[in-house]
mmCIF file of all heavy atoms in Angstrom:
data_model
loop_
_atom_site.group_PDB
_atom_site.id
_atom_site.type_symbol
_atom_site.label_atom_id
_atom_site.label_comp_id
_atom_site.label_asym_id
_atom_site.label_seq_id
_atom_site.Cartn_x
_atom_site.Cartn_y
_atom_site.Cartn_z
ATOM 1 N N THR A 219 106.212 70.332 129.327
ATOM 2 C CA THR A 219 104.951 69.664 128.991
ATOM 3 C C THR A 219 103.817 70.366 129.717
ATOM 4 O O THR A 219 103.920 70.711 130.891
ATOM 5 C CB THR A 219 104.990 68.181 129.417
ATOM 6 O OG1 THR A 219 105.234 68.103 130.812
ATOM 7 C CG2 THR A 219 106.057 67.427 128.657
ATOM 8 N N SER A 220 102.756 70.580 128.995
ATOM 9 C CA SER A 220 101.560 71.188 129.556
ATOM 10 C C SER A 220 100.416 70.880 128.606
ATOM 11 O O SER A 220 100.524 70.003 127.745
ATOM 12 C CB SER A 220 101.765 72.695 129.731
ATOM 13 O OG SER A 220 100.641 73.282 130.366
ATOM 14 N N PHE A 221 99.355 71.625 128.733
ATOM 15 C CA PHE A 221 98.195 71.359 127.877
ATOM 16 C C PHE A 221 98.509 71.609 126.408
ATOM 17 O O PHE A 221 97.900 71.014 125.513
ATOM 18 C CB PHE A 221 97.019 72.255 128.316
ATOM 19 C CG PHE A 221 97.255 73.718 128.084
ATOM 20 C CD1 PHE A 221 96.854 74.333 126.907
ATOM 21 C CD2 PHE A 221 97.908 74.488 129.049
ATOM 22 C CE1 PHE A 221 97.067 75.677 126.686
ATOM 23 C CE2 PHE A 221 98.122 75.842 128.834
ATOM 24 C CZ PHE A 221 97.708 76.434 127.657
ATOM 25 N N TRP A 222 99.493 72.490 126.143
ATOM 26 C CA TRP A 222 99.764 72.863 124.753
ATOM 27 C C TRP A 222 100.465 71.763 123.961
ATOM 28 O O TRP A 222 100.514 71.818 122.731
ATOM 29 C CB TRP A 222 100.596 74.144 124.700
ATOM 30 C CG TRP A 222 101.781 74.170 125.630
ATOM 31 C CD1 TRP A 222 101.811 74.657 126.896
ATOM 32 C CD2 TRP A 222 103.096 73.688 125.362
ATOM 33 N NE1 TRP A 222 103.053 74.526 127.437
ATOM 34 C CE2 TRP A 222 103.877 73.934 126.513
ATOM 35 C CE3 TRP A 222 103.693 73.090 124.258
ATOM 36 C CZ2 TRP A 222 105.215 73.579 126.594
ATOM 37 C CZ3 TRP A 222 105.036 72.737 124.326
ATOM 38 C CH2 TRP A 222 105.784 72.988 125.487
ATOM 39 N N VAL A 223 101.015 70.744 124.625
ATOM 40 C CA VAL A 223 101.693 69.678 123.883
ATOM 41 C C VAL A 223 100.713 68.695 123.266
ATOM 42 O O VAL A 223 101.095 67.871 122.440
ATOM 43 C CB VAL A 223 102.678 68.926 124.806
ATOM 44 C CG1 VAL A 223 103.711 69.861 125.378
ATOM 45 C CG2 VAL A 223 101.937 68.187 125.907
ATOM 46 N N LYS A 224 99.432 68.764 123.642
ATOM 47 C CA LYS A 224 98.454 67.816 123.151
ATOM 48 C C LYS A 224 97.892 68.201 121.793
ATOM 49 O O LYS A 224 97.287 67.372 121.116
ATOM 50 C CB LYS A 224 97.311 67.691 124.164
ATOM 51 C CG LYS A 224 97.778 67.199 125.543
ATOM 52 C CD LYS A 224 96.634 67.127 126.537
ATOM 53 C CE LYS A 224 97.111 66.651 127.901
ATOM 54 N NZ LYS A 224 96.019 66.598 128.906
ATOM 55 N N THR A 225 98.074 69.457 121.402
ATOM 56 C CA THR A 225 97.585 69.929 120.109
ATOM 57 C C THR A 225 98.775 70.373 119.254
ATOM 58 O O THR A 225 99.559 71.225 119.699
ATOM 59 C CB THR A 225 96.621 71.106 120.288
ATOM 60 O OG1 THR A 225 95.578 70.722 121.191
ATOM 61 C CG2 THR A 225 96.017 71.524 118.956
ATOM 62 N N PRO A 226 98.957 69.818 118.068
ATOM 63 C CA PRO A 226 100.131 70.172 117.258
ATOM 64 C C PRO A 226 100.262 71.669 116.993
ATOM 65 O O PRO A 226 101.367 72.220 117.040
ATOM 66 C CB PRO A 226 99.903 69.389 115.961
ATOM 67 C CG PRO A 226 99.044 68.232 116.354
ATOM 68 C CD PRO A 226 98.158 68.748 117.445
ATOM 69 N N ILE A 227 99.152 72.354 116.735
ATOM 70 C CA ILE A 227 99.223 73.791 116.439
ATOM 71 C C ILE A 227 99.713 74.559 117.660
ATOM 72 O O ILE A 227 100.638 75.380 117.582
ATOM 73 C CB ILE A 227 97.839 74.304 115.971
ATOM 74 C CG1 ILE A 227 97.436 73.634 114.655
ATOM 75 C CG2 ILE A 227 97.882 75.825 115.809
ATOM 76 C CD1 ILE A 227 96.078 74.062 114.147
ATOM 77 N N LEU A 228 99.090 74.296 118.823
ATOM 78 C CA LEU A 228 99.534 74.974 120.039
ATOM 79 C C LEU A 228 100.955 74.577 120.412
ATOM 80 O O LEU A 228 101.710 75.396 120.971
ATOM 81 C CB LEU A 228 98.583 74.628 121.198
ATOM 82 C CG LEU A 228 97.155 75.168 121.092
ATOM 83 C CD1 LEU A 228 96.335 74.715 122.297
ATOM 84 C CD2 LEU A 228 97.165 76.694 120.994
ATOM 85 N N PHE A 229 101.327 73.332 120.099
ATOM 86 C CA PHE A 229 102.686 72.867 120.410
ATOM 87 C C PHE A 229 103.724 73.726 119.709
ATOM 88 O O PHE A 229 104.681 74.218 120.334
ATOM 89 C CB PHE A 229 102.812 71.402 119.999
ATOM 90 C CG PHE A 229 104.187 70.828 120.179
ATOM 91 C CD1 PHE A 229 104.627 70.444 121.432
ATOM 92 C CD2 PHE A 229 105.038 70.677 119.098
ATOM 93 C CE1 PHE A 229 105.896 69.914 121.605
ATOM 94 C CE2 PHE A 229 106.302 70.154 119.252
ATOM 95 C CZ PHE A 229 106.737 69.769 120.514
ATOM 96 N N TYR A 230 103.565 73.946 118.405
ATOM 97 C CA TYR A 230 104.564 74.700 117.653
ATOM 98 C C TYR A 230 104.459 76.200 117.913
ATOM 99 O O TYR A 230 105.463 76.924 117.836
ATOM 100 C CB TYR A 230 104.448 74.401 116.157
ATOM 101 C CG TYR A 230 105.040 73.062 115.802
ATOM 102 C CD1 TYR A 230 104.227 71.948 115.578
ATOM 103 C CD2 TYR A 230 106.417 72.894 115.703
ATOM 104 C CE1 TYR A 230 104.782 70.709 115.267
ATOM 105 C CE2 TYR A 230 106.970 71.665 115.390
ATOM 106 C CZ TYR A 230 106.157 70.576 115.175
ATOM 107 O OH TYR A 230 106.698 69.361 114.877
ATOM 108 N N ILE A 231 103.266 76.688 118.229
ATOM 109 C CA ILE A 231 103.138 78.107 118.605
ATOM 110 C C ILE A 231 103.897 78.369 119.904
ATOM 111 O O ILE A 231 104.626 79.371 120.032
ATOM 112 C CB ILE A 231 101.650 78.491 118.743
ATOM 113 C CG1 ILE A 231 100.968 78.485 117.371
ATOM 114 C CG2 ILE A 231 101.524 79.867 119.395
ATOM 115 C CD1 ILE A 231 99.475 78.798 117.425
ATOM 116 N N ALA A 232 103.736 77.466 120.874
ATOM 117 C CA ALA A 232 104.455 77.628 122.137
ATOM 118 C C ALA A 232 105.963 77.533 121.932
ATOM 119 O O ALA A 232 106.735 78.307 122.509
ATOM 120 C CB ALA A 232 103.981 76.574 123.139
#
Side-chain angles (χ1 to χ4, degrees):
T219 58
S220 184
F221 67 92
W222 47 268
V223 301
K224 300 178 180 179
T225 306
I227 296 179
L228 293 179
F229 176 78
Y230 283 102
I231 291 177

